[in-house]
Amino acid sequence: MLLCTDPELIVLLSLAVMLLLSYLFAVRRSPGKPAASVEVKPDSEWRLGFLAMPGKKYRLFVRFDVAFQGGEDEYGLVVDYSCTAGGSVVSRERAGVGNIVPPERDRFIGIQRMSSFTSTPGSCRHRATVTLTRVGPFEESIEVTAGGSVVVSAGAVLSNCQVYFA
């Protein structure tokens, strides 16, 4: 049995283990390389598609950068989308992010990836990536498509928005 009584070595080993676990967690949560992507303008329709590989799972993400007045999450972003695989609807919903989203949404998205919030007197900015849906795995290659629209609340400015499969 290995016993270590040096406190400095124990602290260093503990720190190394925590850093390794943090790295592995971050890599696991990373969206990965996009299979298909599209830049989205506010209040406009978007559409994208790709050929899914057999046995692979995919997720549909939206990455956004929104500026707004007020406190943290005092904006609303609603993604109204439909996702199909081989012509059959896999998922269709109105998903919302932020505190100012309409009550008629289907789902509120609280879990965000790669999120950053900055605030200066009088304005705020929030950048994040959220998962909309998951598709696959499929037994054979199949065409996967998604389309919809992105709407932001009044007073908020969407400066960058990308929808993508990864």
Side-chain angles (χ1 to χ4, degrees), residues 35-38 46-52 84 142-147 165:
S37 68
V38 63
W46 56 268
R47 185 158 196 75
L48 74 154
F50 71 105
L51 189 62
T84 64
I142 192 168
E143 183 180 16
V144 177
T145 62
F165 280 102

Side-chain angles (χ1 to χ4, degrees), residues 96-119:
V97 181
N99 288 341
I100 306 173
V101 291
E104 60 270 8
R105 71 180 183 275
D106 297 320
R107 179 171 62 107
F108 174 76
I109 302 172
I111 298 173
Q112 302 172 0
R113 302 168 186 272
M114 300 179 298
S115 177
S116 75
F117 173 78
T118 54
S119 176

Side-chain angles (χ1 to χ4, degrees), residues 12-13 33 79 84 102 105 109 118 133 152:
L12 285 174
L13 287 173
K33 183 180 176 186
V79 183
T84 64
R105 71 180 183 275
I109 302 172
T118 54
T133 193
V152 292

Side-chain angles (χ1 to χ4, degrees), residues 75-151:
Y75 69 94
L77 181 120
V78 175
V79 183
D80 191 353
Y81 74 94
S82 176
C83 179
T84 64
S88 300
V89 175
V90 176
S91 179
R92 176 180 287 146
E93 69 177 349
R94 291 188 76 201
V97 181
N99 288 341
I100 306 173
V101 291
E104 60 270 8
R105 71 180 183 275
D106 297 320
R107 179 171 62 107
F108 174 76
I109 302 172
I111 298 173
Q112 302 172 0
R113 302 168 186 272
M114 300 179 298
S115 177
S116 75
F117 173 78
T118 54
S119 176
T120 57
S123 68
C124 297
R125 185 175 183 178
H126 188 194
R127 290 181 232 169
T129 300
V130 296
T131 304
L132 296 175
T133 193
R134 292 172 175 79
V135 296
F138 304 104
E139 293 181 11
E140 56 189 41
S141 294
I142 192 168
E143 183 180 16
V144 177
T145 62
S149 63
V150 175
V151 178

Side-chain angles (χ1 to χ4, degrees), residues 56-71:
K56 188 162 172 25
K57 296 178 185 176
Y58 296 90
R59 294 174 288 180
L60 179 63
F61 293 99
V62 61
R63 178 182 302 145
F64 63 90
D65 183 345
V66 63
F68 54 96
Q69 303 292 317

Side-chain angles (χ1 to χ4, degrees), residues 12-24:
L12 285 174
L13 287 173
S14 299
L15 187 60
V17 168
M18 287 183 354
L19 287 172
L20 178 65
L21 291 175
S22 297
Y23 171 77
L24 292 174

